[in-house]
Amino acid sequence: MAKIFKMGSILAVFCVLAAGSLAYVYMLTQPRINANAGLALEQARKEVLPGGQGQAIPVTVTGYHGPISMMVGIDNGGKVSGVKIISQKETAGLGADIVKPKFLKQFIGKDAKSKLEVKQDIDAITGASISSRAVCQGVKDALEKFQPGNN
């Protein structure tokens, strides 16, 4: 019985040390992680609004494997000037192709009057219709949030 208690005590000490180490590393790295996330958002804003005229609107939609965070640039005329996927967890080689320029360029020039529907005015990624529809929905959401004159 004493041997089991001793082994349990040793295990408990290791668990406390491991948990403390993880908490310490988290505390040290969290500010840098937050700073990098801010830089990524700012870079996305610059990419979707090349001329700086308009609004960069962040949106998050649900894809096949979870949230898809994106930045949608809308120029002063209410037309999409760019789309940047910030984070996604879609299937590699299928839904993850939503980040490819060939897919995202289809949205440039679209406005609130556009259908933004897969197989109508947007070509879906083969085998990834849910992911493709999610990006369409994200662009629609951004266009709905767009407020002319708010730069």
Side-chain angles (χ1 to χ4, degrees):
M1 187 67 137
K3 193 174 190 177
I4 292 174
F5 178 75
K6 184 177 178 182
M7 287 175 41
S9 298
I10 291 171
L11 182 60
V13 167
F14 277 110
C15 288
V16 167
L17 289 174
S21 297
L22 284 172
Y24 180 71
V25 168
Y26 177 81
M27 185 179 70
L28 288 177
T29 58
Q30 192 59 39
R32 180 172 284 174
I33 291 169
N34 290 341
N36 286 340
L39 288 173
L41 282 176
E42 188 55 36
Q43 180 62 33
R45 278 186 179 87
K46 289 177 182 177
E47 285 183 41
V48 299
L49 283 173
Q53 299 295 315
Q55 296 172 38
I57 301 173
V59 292
T60 300
V61 292
T62 302
Y64 187 72
H65 282 292
I68 299 171
S69 295
M70 52 199 281
M71 185 74 68
V72 180
I74 303 173
D75 66 22
N76 289 333
K79 295 186 183 228
V80 175
S81 59
V83 179
K84 169 86 174 167
I85 304 297
I86 298 168
S87 67
Q88 53 85 22
K89 296 179 181 176
E90 302 303 280
T91 306
L94 291 171
D97 287 351
I98 60 173
V99 302
K100 291 189 173 181
K102 181 180 178 183
F103 176 70
L104 295 175
K105 285 181 182 178
Q106 299 179 84
F107 296 95
I108 295 175
K110 304 288 185 187
D111 60 20
K113 296 175 188 168
S114 302
K115 287 188 177 196
L116 292 169
E117 296 289 336
V118 171
K119 297 183 182 173
Q120 291 186 26
D121 58 344
I122 300 295
D123 292 328
I125 295 168
T126 303
S129 57
I130 293 173
S131 303
S132 301
R133 279 198 286 279
V135 176
C136 289
Q137 186 60 53
V139 174
K140 285 180 189 178
D141 291 351
L143 285 164
E144 287 176 10
K145 292 178 183 179
F146 172 71
Q147 296 178 5
N150 282 357
N151 291 337

